Amino acid sequence: TIALAGGYASKVKAGSTLFIIVRRDAGDGKKGMLLAAKKIPVTGAKMFPLAYTVTKADIMMQGTVLAGTVRVSARIDQDGDAISKQPGDIVGASAKAHKVGAKGIDFGLDKTL
């Protein structure tokens, strides 16, 4: 599940977009190759905690395999554009890498850009 840290509920606006991002693990502090992303419309703070699943249907590039060790992160994006990141977007990430297929990858949205 993805939880919303205390104090951020008032900053979550309906109409924004939650992006759940899966990247190949490249080690702590490094961004690995983007493998998959899921786009979910935000209805408000009450939608959290949110149970989520990322599958091969969410793979970004044809021919990419969702396998190996990955890192999962998420961002509530105010303008719904996956490319742009702006001050006020709320972000969070799993604290460690996980094998594809792992269950219970729980983390919180606990920072703003």
Side-chain angles (χ1 to χ4, degrees):
T1 57
I2 299 172
L4 185 61
Y8 288 103
S10 65
K11 298 179 187 308
V12 175
K13 305 289 185 235
S16 53
T17 303
L18 174 67
F19 290 102
I20 302 171
I21 301 120
V22 178
R23 293 182 177 274
R24 188 168 317 284
D25 180 33
D28 287 336
K30 298 178 184 171
K31 280 191 175 181
M33 181 179 126
L34 178 64
L35 298 177
K38 186 176 215 76
K39 181 178 178 179
I40 300 171
V42 173
T43 58
K46 291 187 181 200
M47 68 183 270
F48 296 97
L50 176 73
Y52 73 96
T53 303
V54 177
T55 69
K56 59 184 172 185
D58 302 307
I59 289 175
M60 296 300 296
M61 290 178 31
Q62 187 173 359
T64 300
V65 177
L66 192 54
T69 305
V70 298
R71 295 203 176 243
V72 182
S73 63
R75 179 176 86 244
I76 297 177
D77 188 272
Q78 299 168 80
D79 66 5
D81 182 349
I83 303 293
S84 69
K85 294 178 181 129
Q86 56 191 335
D89 286 354
I90 304 168
V91 299
S94 172
K96 61 181 186 167
H98 298 274
K99 291 274 188 195
V100 168
K103 299 198 184 307
I105 303 175
D106 302 330
F107 61 95
L109 297 168
D110 57 1
K111 297 180 188 104
T112 56
L113 296 180

